[in-house]
Amino acid sequence: DSGVTQTPKHLITATGQRVTLRCSPRSGDLSVYWYQQSLDQGLQFLIQYYNGEERAKGNILERFSAQQFPDLHSELNLSSLELGDSALYFCASSPQAGGSTDTQYFGPGTRLTVL
Amino acid sequence: AQTVTQSQPEMSVQEAETVTLSCTYDTSESDYYLFWYKQPPSRQMILVIRQEAYKQQNATENRFSVNFQKAAKSFSLKISDSQLGDAAMYFCAYRAFQGGSEKLVFGKGTKLTVNP
């Protein structure tokens, strides 16, 4: 158990809908990262938040957005869902913004199925 | 752009034997970190081992060790005394820091099967 929690574990929804994925980082970790794992694209970095502020952006679509709250939990919002958005979404956390001793620890993931 | 290549989509090993998973990467940066993550059927991503590029000594964690060849940009994972629980997808990952933010790039993964 990494200490990172994600809810829900599974999510099934229809095209065009909007969903919210939630992540609670390990106690004391200030950074949260979101990743998408799909069969064709592999593991892709979406976005990083550090202490409530956006820190780095990867291959995140404009239909997707995220935020990190004062209690450091984070939410990933996916809107206007398409079939291709079906994937496993991971959250990871690390103590800092990415320093010499920083290592990312992953949550169990949320499996999103878009029908 | 940084890339990570795992040339072996699948590997198999007999229980108690040793197996080596390959990883190469491409970067022009000098300060970076490399990782191996394990993803068992539960889909959890588990950190196996990490290597700092500035360290010449290869990292070791119990039965897991790496062969880091910086000039060749190679970072292979050796699993000794393989166990059934080692069966999983293994991902090589590269992390670099740029202007206060970081990027993490994963390879496509190697599926390891352990035969009893």
Side-chain angles (χ1 to χ4, degrees):
Chain A
D1 185 357
S2 67
V4 179
T5 61
Q6 289 186 248
T7 56
K9 286 187 179 179
H10 302 278
L11 200 48
I12 301 174
T13 188
T15 54
Q17 294 298 305
R18 181 180 189 275
V19 298
T20 298
L21 312 183
R22 182 187 170 102
C23 168
S24 293
R26 296 186 320 157
S27 177
D29 283 2
L30 299 177
S31 273
V32 169
Y33 309 79
W34 287 97
Y35 294 88
Q36 179 193 59
Q37 185 179 31
S38 60
L39 284 175
D40 55 343
Q41 295 291 329
L43 258 165
Q44 297 230 342
F45 167 65
L46 296 178
I47 198 165
Q48 175 199 0
Y49 276 81
Y50 171 70
N51 205 19
E53 300 289 328
E54 182 184 303
R55 190 78 177 199
K57 245 181 181 177
N59 302 321
I60 189 167
L61 300 173
E62 286 192 8
R63 300 183 286 109
F64 296 1
S65 65
Q67 55 184 327
Q68 186 179 28
F69 295 87
D71 67 352
L72 301 177
H73 90 271
S74 177
E75 293 181 356
L76 179 67
N77 300 296
L78 315 176
S79 61
S80 303
L81 285 167
E82 302 175 358
L83 296 177
D85 297 328
S86 295
L88 189 56
Y89 290 84
F90 283 106
C91 166
S93 75
S94 68
Q96 298 298 329
S100 60
T101 59
D102 231 23
T103 294
Q104 296 180 26
Y105 294 90
F106 283 74
T110 292
R111 177 165 293 285
L112 174 66
T113 302
V114 182
L115 301 176
Chain B
Q2 292 89 353
T3 58
V4 177
T5 302
Q6 294 179 247
S7 59
Q8 307 150 316
E10 296 188 27
M11 291 281 286
S12 64
V13 63
Q14 291 296 127
E15 196 175 3
E17 297 294 308
T18 295
V19 64
T20 298
L21 308 184
S22 300
C23 173
T24 59
Y25 57 96
D26 184 25
T27 184
S28 57
E29 297 165 359
S30 58
D31 181 22
Y32 54 88
Y33 298 80
L34 298 162
F35 303 83
W36 279 97
Y37 281 90
K38 168 185 176 182
Q39 188 177 40
S42 66
R43 308 310 299 272
Q44 177 86 32
M45 292 289 288
I46 302 166
L47 176 67
V48 175
I49 199 165
R50 59 173 273 160
Q51 174 80 44
E52 293 87 343
Y54 65 86
K55 287 187 177 179
Q56 292 187 342
Q57 186 173 5
N58 289 323
T60 299
E61 287 288 341
N62 301 314
R63 298 182 295 107
F64 299 87
S65 61
V66 299
N67 183 5
F68 174 48
Q69 302 288 330
K70 190 173 184 179
K73 297 179 182 174
S74 170
F75 182 60
S76 60
L77 175 69
K78 185 172 82 171
I79 306 173
S80 304
D81 186 24
S82 296
Q83 300 175 1
L84 295 178
D86 295 333
M89 283 289 288
Y90 286 82
F91 293 93
C92 177
Y94 163 96
R95 195 181 87 196
F97 305 100
Q98 288 178 318
S101 65
E102 68 173 66
K103 292 167 40 174
L104 189 57
V105 179
F106 285 88
K108 294 290 187 184
T110 296
K111 182 179 180 181
L112 178 66
T113 301
V114 181
N115 301 310

